[in-house]
Amino acid sequence: MSTEKRQNTLFVGALAKGLRVLRAFDETHTELSLTELAARTGLDKSAVQRLANTLHLEGMLDKDPATRRFRPSHAWLQMAYVYYWSDPLVARAMPRLIELSQQLGETVNMAELSGDHIIYVSRLPCKRTHFAASVVGRRLPALSTSAGRAILSTFPADERAAAVEQWMLARHTPHTTMDRSEIAAAIEEAVQQGYAVSRDQMILNEMAIAAPICGPDGRAFAAVQCSVSAHSWTADKIRRNILPALQDTANAISPGASRS
């Protein structure tokens, strides 16, 4: 636990531990035993047993009666449903994203910045899209994605430099860029161009292009992104055939843009 949290008199440690149990689940850990939960949370098994069973009784976790393993319940979907109603950007953007998806016939996403990651809040897949690339809520390191780089390109130079130096990186493919100087150069290129392009960063043979959705101050908080197959597209073809519509969509979603 951080010093800041320990010094906060309003911090509830028991609740924080319960949230650690919930956060133990992800796309590669969808069902967990008590032993596995203890290992992933760093909590002792007796505490995990009490927390997990409380979360089960409160409807946050399902429990298999035979294996006694836990998994997320439908309550998570209910919480996601409430989130979408609370995020005005999603409702504002969806008609524009649907129009763009139909126009391009390719996968279209909208991502928001979430700490040092981006999180996909809207995803409109094409016929070739894999399941993993169609589910909302996926978080990826911002430095490795075209959407994250497009957003960062609108930040002041000192903030861009700090992000490149401090934000996390994770290798998702053999070609994921881990050299921070190369990432800095890619972000500076996005500063000049107004958009970001990436290849093979999250999925092999995938190219992505993203345009920032900027607030009134010119700082982006989200981005529209299009993903295509590198077997069918080149960078020049993407710039000719996708970029203009992508930028028009991002500009139309930005606060202050006309709703016509």
Side-chain angles (χ1 to χ4, degrees):
M1 186 189 305
S2 68
T3 302
E4 181 182 357
K5 289 180 179 178
R6 285 197 300 267
Q7 293 176 345
N8 189 326
T9 58
L10 299 179
F11 184 80
V12 180
L15 177 57
K17 290 178 181 179
L19 293 174
R20 283 168 66 181
V21 170
L22 295 180
R23 294 190 181 110
F25 297 90
D26 59 27
E27 65 268 26
T28 59
H29 301 87
T30 57
E31 290 190 356
L32 295 169
S33 66
L34 288 175
T35 299
E36 292 165 337
L37 280 169
R40 285 185 57 78
T41 60
L43 301 171
D44 64 76
K45 192 172 180 179
S46 62
V48 167
Q49 183 177 37
R50 294 192 299 273
L51 291 165
N53 279 286
T54 299
L55 291 166
H56 169 57
L57 293 173
E58 289 296 316
M60 295 302 299
L61 293 176
D62 287 338
K63 184 177 181 181
D64 188 299
T67 66
R68 306 187 70 78
R69 294 172 68 84
F70 294 90
R71 64 186 299 272
S73 71
H74 284 159
W76 292 41
L77 284 177
Q78 292 175 295
M79 294 175 69
Y81 177 75
V82 174
Y83 170 80
Y84 280 110
W85 281 102
S86 73
D87 187 343
L89 181 64
V90 174
R92 177 182 177 83
M94 188 56 71
R96 305 287 188 176
L97 297 175
I98 292 172
E99 182 180 349
L100 180 64
S101 174
Q102 293 173 341
Q103 178 181 348
L104 299 178
E106 299 289 348
T107 298
V108 171
N109 301 309
M110 185 172 71
E112 296 182 1
L113 195 63
S114 177
D116 60 1
H117 284 60
I118 57 104
I119 187 165
Y120 291 116
V121 295
S122 296
R123 313 198 79 174
L124 284 75
C126 69
K127 291 184 290 186
R128 297 178 299 279
T129 304
H130 297 294
F131 175 72
S134 66
V135 181
V136 297
R138 189 182 188 198
R139 295 179 80 246
L140 296 171
L143 294 180
S144 300
T145 64
S146 60
R149 294 174 183 179
I151 294 169
L152 274 171
S153 72
T154 68
F155 286 19
D158 59 335
E159 292 187 37
R160 297 198 302 270
V164 170
E165 180 182 351
Q166 299 169 13
W167 287 11
M168 79 158 285
L169 289 172
R171 188 177 296 281
H172 287 261
T173 80
H175 301 300
T176 301
T177 304
M178 303 299 288
D179 186 320
R180 293 181 184 269
S181 64
E182 291 183 25
I183 294 171
I187 294 172
E188 292 309 308
E189 184 177 21
V191 173
Q192 300 301 318
Q193 296 179 335
Y195 63 91
V197 178
S198 64
R199 175 171 177 166
D200 295 328
Q201 295 299 294
M202 295 293 114
I203 301 173
L204 283 174
N205 297 313
E206 178 191 70
M207 297 185 70
I209 184 168
I213 298 172
C214 297
D217 60 355
R219 184 186 182 102
F221 49 89
V224 179
Q225 179 230 2
C226 180
S227 299
V228 298
S229 169
H231 295 301
S232 306
W233 291 81
T234 65
D236 286 342
K237 186 179 177 182
I238 288 173
R239 291 184 180 95
R240 283 196 314 270
N241 299 344
I242 292 179
L243 179 60
L246 191 77
Q247 290 180 316
D248 286 346
T249 299
N251 291 335
I253 296 171
S254 295
S258 171
R259 294 176 178 268
S260 61

